[in-house]
Amino acid sequence: MLLRTLSQVTGFIVMITFSPFINAKATLEDPLTELDSTFWWKSHGWSNGFPSYTRWESEAISHSDEGMAITLSYAPNEIDEFDFQSGELRSEEFYGYGCYEVEMKPIAEPGVVSSFFLFAGPFDKPKGGNGMHNEIDIEFLGYDTNMLQINFWTNDDRYAQSHEQLVYLDFDASQDFHRYAIKWTKNSIQWFVDGSLVFTVKNSKRDPIPSARDSQLRIMMNVWATDERISNWAGEFSKDPETNLTAYYRNFRYLPLRSCSL
């Protein structure tokens, strides 16, 4: 017997399914107009180090009726060498197979990356996870926002085997909101733009995709300036003290696999 309830929790619409045969998280929808601290948290007061040239500060993330804004700006301090701050939003929980969607408007600026991705690693380990680096990406490289980059890593703490692919768009993503999605299953990863499938990777023994059996993944969104040593990838960040650049996000949705449809 299935019992369904629908409730509103601080901007979230949560569909909860109870069943003795199903152990999966609920469908979640968040317009991102305010921070729901029961679901999300902000990175604060630290940096990932290379290849980032940015430290995370919670004040770089703001919310309004229009959704969420992440702002990259010049903000030197006396504690570290990172003169620029930006924001990173993380889910409290880790999630498995399903559909992950958000509308976003990335930053068009060389050396700046705007992203929406799923992640786990040695410092982001879910209960029962193997503690290794697993990741599925949607990233915009600010030197050309007429394309997006997709990527994944599987049990790869050394970041040794990435799978970058560029997807060319018929629009400039920085000019308006569009909907970007990842469908993660046991057999494949699919990436969607505005509901249209743009790329698929199938699981294989030779080159496996991340497995929810190994580790569920945290949902993340961030903006970061790149170190000049990787300027051949993302363009060269100007380090201009007048820098004040903002990416916008709205209407996040997660659907567990049984109800996953794009």
Side-chain angles (χ1 to χ4, degrees):
M1 178 180 180
L2 298 181
L3 302 176
R4 298 178 185 272
T5 65
L6 184 63
S7 60
Q8 183 76 30
V9 183
T10 321
F12 271 95
I13 299 174
V14 183
M15 179 69 75
I16 305 171
T17 301
F18 301 95
S19 170
F21 308 107
I22 298 173
N23 182 18
K25 291 185 172 68
T27 296
L28 301 170
E29 297 187 49
D30 185 1
L32 299 174
T33 53
E34 58 184 307
L35 178 69
D36 185 332
S37 58
T38 65
F39 187 82
W40 304 106
W41 59 281
K42 302 175 184 179
S43 298
H44 179 69
W46 53 278
S47 172
N48 291 1
F50 181 84
S52 174
Y53 191 67
T54 311
R55 72 177 186 279
W56 308 124
E57 299 290 350
S58 60
E59 67 185 22
I61 298 178
S62 60
H63 298 266
S64 72
D65 291 343
E66 303 300 317
M68 180 178 72
I70 302 180
T71 299
L72 171 67
S73 62
Y74 183 70
N77 62 30
E78 298 179 355
I79 300 173
D80 56 41
E81 73 274 23
F82 299 103
D83 291 338
F84 291 83
Q85 70 173 28
S86 190
E88 178 177 76
L89 190 72
R90 295 165 159 249
S91 63
E92 288 281 358
E93 299 294 332
F94 295 78
Y95 294 81
Y97 300 134
C99 291
Y100 301 81
E101 306 175 70
V102 77
E103 294 176 24
M104 63 181 291
K105 187 161 56 169
I107 292 168
E109 180 73 18
V112 176
V113 178
S114 309
S115 69
F116 170 59
F117 63 108
L118 312 177
F119 179 85
F123 300 103
D124 288 272
K125 180 182 175 181
K127 183 178 180 180
N130 64 8
M132 299 184 71
H133 172 222
N134 286 276
E135 184 172 345
I136 303 172
D137 289 344
I138 289 175
E139 296 177 303
F140 289 91
L141 312 181
Y143 74 89
D144 186 351
T145 49
N146 287 283
M147 63 183 184
L148 63 83
Q149 178 180 280
I150 58 177
N151 203 352
F152 72 93
W153 282 268
T154 305
N155 295 331
D156 186 0
D157 289 345
R158 296 182 300 146
Y159 289 76
Q161 190 171 356
S162 60
H163 302 82
E164 294 102 332
Q165 294 285 339
L166 293 175
V167 175
Y168 291 90
L169 308 170
D170 59 2
F171 55 83
D172 181 349
S174 71
Q175 295 302 301
D176 203 354
F177 284 101
H178 292 269
R179 192 157 193 82
Y180 305 95
I182 296 165
K183 183 176 183 179
W184 177 33
T185 74
K186 178 181 178 180
N187 297 317
S188 68
I189 307 170
Q190 296 178 309
W191 288 265
F192 294 79
V193 177
D194 290 332
S196 296
L197 178 65
V198 295
F199 201 82
T200 299
V201 172
K202 293 186 177 180
N203 192 33
S204 71
K205 291 183 178 179
R206 181 186 61 82
D207 191 13
I209 64 173
S211 167
R213 183 182 295 272
D214 287 342
S215 182
Q216 295 190 328
L217 304 179
R218 196 187 294 280
I219 306 161
M220 301 178 66
M221 306 172 211
N222 67 21
V223 169
W224 52 287
T226 57
D227 187 286
E228 60 189 9
R229 286 171 286 178
I230 61 166
S231 60
N232 63 325
W233 171 62
E236 186 168 357
F237 181 57
S238 69
K239 300 182 182 179
D240 183 351
E242 299 298 317
T243 295
N244 195 286
L245 303 164
T246 301
Y248 299 93
Y249 298 77
R250 68 185 187 190
N251 297 331
F252 164 80
R253 184 171 70 156
Y254 163 74
L255 300 99
L257 190 58
R258 67 180 183 275
S259 56
C260 185
S261 175
L262 296 169

